Each structure stands twice: as structure tokens, then as C-alpha cells.
Amino acid sequence: MTAPLPLLVLGKGRDLHTERGVECPGELPAASDPGLVERARAAKAALGDQVFVLGHHYQRDEVIEFADTTGDSFKLAREAAARPDAPYIVFCGVHFMAESADILTSDQQTVILPDLAAGCSMADMAAIAQVEDAWLDLQDAGVADVTVPVTYMNSSAAIKAFTGRHGGTICTSSNAKTALSWAFGERGDAQVAAGTGKVLFLPDQHLGRNTYVRDLGGRLDECVVFDPHRPMGGLTREQLRDARMILWRGHCSVHGRFSVEAVDAARREIPDVKVIVHPECRHEVVELADEVGSTEKIIKTIAAAPAGTSWVVGTELNLVRRLAQQFPEQRIAFLEKNVCYCSTMNRIDLPHLVWALESLVEGRVVNPIHVDPVVAGHARTALDQMLALPGETHKD
Ligand code: 13P
Ligand code: SF4
């Protein structure tokens, strides 16, 4: 019996289902209501320069169509900061991204998240009280003084503020290497520069581990995982003292599901296939991939590849489907058929976007995102540190 393909193959603007005829996981409903499309167009035209719509690459097609700019979380943070003249920023993404936009924009601007239920399961894996307790554990173990917090953008404003208060930086998947290099070597502390320093990486253990090992040449046995649900993170003082990377026990519920078996199957089934994955994937998967990068890097890599190249992509399905439609000259497959859309990214749909835009036309602001000013001040310190990282440009 032929082994079933674990891949959902996409291409030429349509879904090519697996040999077993498995349906697309999490298939979206039929195309958007044409009336809603018209209403979104009309509301946006009526608002003109009053509104700027940002769209993350994981958003639905029906929403991306109305984005003034699209990007990964780093690019969108910069775009938000670069729009001082737009009184309203409608953020089509998830809550932590909208919070960051609010922190980076002026008090005269309002950031709107069309559906407040658009959160992020990874960001929810680190609560501020847990992080404060963890820091006390590091103090208790005598290592807090030589530890720099490096916090992934996918975190609450409160944790970004914690990072700012402790001299750390925010990073995204496109600048994590630069951020870690800075934390280990360039922050200016004698101990950190002398190579005895540590990083507390929050909240995605996979991005932290992958960046440290793959990009900085660090060793896996220099990483420990801090479990906030166990006393002292489930670690001994010695383990904390010996570690260089203290990884928070958090992960992405979407990217954590891509498997080694799926990569192996892709290589068996598709001749000369190239595997490209997001660095939120597990280390074993990243180790097997040909390319690793942020959503922006994934798009740029596929766009620059010669026609006829075969790609298997390990990231969110909305983006992979769009890539398959935009580059029909490539063979583009989704890495794992059992992985579905990011359910929280998908909360932002056309009805919510229309509601947010039409409310603005009527003079009502729905779902504004306001970060507490004290929290925002400290979080801004950490975000500004990210934007000022040495040589920081948007490379990926
Ligand atoms: P990017 O930083 O690549 O945009 O990714 C954000 C994200 O949420 C990935 O799951
Ligand atoms: Fe969060 Fe994962 Fe969704 Fe990205 S894909 S927003 S990390 S749950």
C-alpha cells in the first residue's frame, strides 16, 4: 500500500489535494460577500488619509486586499512608527502587534484591532507575574546581574516593559540574531562582554534555541528551558549558572506542529524540493530545512527563486496559499496537512474590518488599543533598543 502523503500540495492557483483526497485543513468559507467588499472600499475611500491599514502576512486574502502595507511583525512595527500623520491605524494582525503599534505611535494616534479576540497563544504563555517570579529566581541563583532579557515581539506590553526595565531588547524573527549578538557582546557590560553573560529569552523557546545554535554557533547543552509552572523553573541553581541561554517554556501552537516526518516525506516525494520554515518551528525541523526565516524572508526567497523550483513551506497556511497563487510558476506545498490556520490571526475577517472602518466613518472608534502609559514607557525603551540595534535594517 502506498504511504499517504502528509503534504498539502498547492499550486497554479488551486489546491491539489493529496493522493487520498484529503480536504484542505481548515478550508475557509466561500469568497467574501461582494456587498462587504464594496462597503470596505467605500469606507476606506471616505476616510482617505485619516486611516492607515496594516496587514500581517498571515491575514486572510479578503483582509490583505485592504491593507495599505503588508509585512512581518518587524516591518509593521516600523511602518506604524513611520505614519505620524494618520490619526487612525487599523491593525490587521494580533493583539501584541497592535499594542506595539500603539507604543510606537504618538498620543494623537489611535490603533484599532478589528477583533479583540485576535490574540496569540504563544504570547499568552508568559504572564507578567510569572516573569517577575522567574527574575526573582535568577536573583536567588545569583545570575540576574549577568542576564539580559531578550523578548520576542510576540509578547504582552507588560513583558516588553519588564525587558525595558532590565536593560534588554525586543526582537522579531527577522532580527533575533542581531539582538542576541548585542545581548551577548555589545551591550557594554563587562561581564556580558567577557563571555559569562546569559540571555533570558522570552517567550518562544524555539526561536531562542534556533537562533543561538544555528545563527550564533552556540551549543544545545548551553540552553536550559525555564518552566514557569515549576519551582525555580524546574532547574537547579547550578543549571542556571552553567546555562548561557535560559529559554522560556513557550511555543507557537501552529509552528510547533510541523514535524521531521513531514520534512522527510517532502524530500522523498518531491524531487529537488527546497524546505523553508519559520524559526518558530522546533529545532529538529529547522535543522533539516534548507532555509529558515521570518515571513518576509520566506516571501522574498520564493519570489527570487528561478521558475520551476519546488518549495515546501512550514509557516501559516494563509501565507502559503497566497504564495502558491502568486507564484504559479513554482511548485509550492504546505509542509504538514495536519496543521491549520492560525485561529487567532483568522479572527480578523472582512465583517470585522468593515465594522471598524464604517464605525470610523460615523465618528466612532471601536476596539482601540491603549497601553497603560507607564507600561508603554518602559516597553518603548525595549522597542527603541530593537530599532537601534547595530546595523539594524530590515534585511529579511
Ligand atoms: P513574523 O515575525 O515572521 O512576522 O512572525 C510573526 C508570527 O506571529 C509568526 O508566528
Ligand atoms: Fe501567535 Fe503562532 Fe499565531 Fe504567530 S502563528 S500569531 S506565534 S499563535
Side-chain angles (χ1 to χ4, degrees), residues 56 58 94 96-97 119-123 152 154 204 251-255 278 280 315-316 341-345:
H56 187 267
Y58 292 165
V94 289
F96 70 80
M97 296 179 181
C120 165
S121 56
M122 176 200 288
Y152 191 24
N154 300 27
D204 183 15
H251 67 273
C252 166
S253 45
V254 177
H255 290 88
H278 196 279
E280 287 175 13
T315 196
E316 206 270 348
Y341 300 97
C342 170
S343 57
T344 47
M345 280 278 179

Side-chain angles (χ1 to χ4, degrees), residues 69-229:
T69 192
T70 59
D72 63 7
S73 51
F74 181 72
K75 183 175 166 193
L76 294 180
R78 283 172 55 134
E79 288 283 343
R83 303 285 156 189
D85 298 331
Y88 301 106
I89 306 274
V90 173
F91 209 117
C92 298
V94 289
H95 194 268
F96 70 80
M97 296 179 181
E99 276 190 333
S100 299
D102 179 53
I103 293 163
L104 290 168
T105 49
S106 75
D107 292 348
Q108 284 69 49
Q109 294 174 284
T110 304
V111 175
I112 291 166
L113 183 64
D115 184 347
L116 291 179
C120 165
S121 56
M122 176 200 288
D124 291 345
M125 288 178 197
I128 184 61
Q130 293 174 321
V131 175
E132 298 285 10
D133 283 351
W135 194 253
L136 292 177
D137 287 340
L138 299 195
Q139 284 175 338
D140 194 34
V143 300
D145 287 350
V146 292
T147 301
V148 181
V150 176
T151 297
Y152 191 24
M153 186 69 114
N154 300 27
S155 56
S156 69
I159 290 170
K160 290 186 177 76
F162 163 89
T163 308
R165 280 191 279 112
H166 293 283
T169 187
I170 306 304
C171 74
T172 69
S173 53
S174 60
N175 62 13
K177 179 184 175 187
T178 318
L180 276 192
S181 302
W182 169 83
F184 278 121
E186 294 157 39
R187 198 181 73 155
D189 312 38
Q191 280 161 308
V192 173
T196 52
K198 305 174 193 306
V199 162
L200 170 63
F201 196 91
L202 298 152
D204 183 15
Q205 58 168 301
H206 299 306
L207 178 65
R209 186 182 292 109
N210 289 330
T211 310
Y212 183 66
V213 174
R214 195 173 179 277
D215 297 333
L216 264 63
R219 294 197 320 264
L220 273 179
D221 64 8
E222 293 170 324
C223 304
V224 290
V225 177
F226 190 101
D227 182 349
H229 299 289

Side-chain angles (χ1 to χ4, degrees), residues 311-331:
W311 291 96
V312 164
V313 189
T315 196
E316 206 270 348
L317 187 51
N318 275 311
L319 174 56
V320 183
R321 286 172 63 114
R322 203 150 44 236
L323 284 169
Q325 282 156 10
Q326 281 170 355
F327 301 102
E329 69 282 9
Q330 319 262 17
R331 191 173 183 221

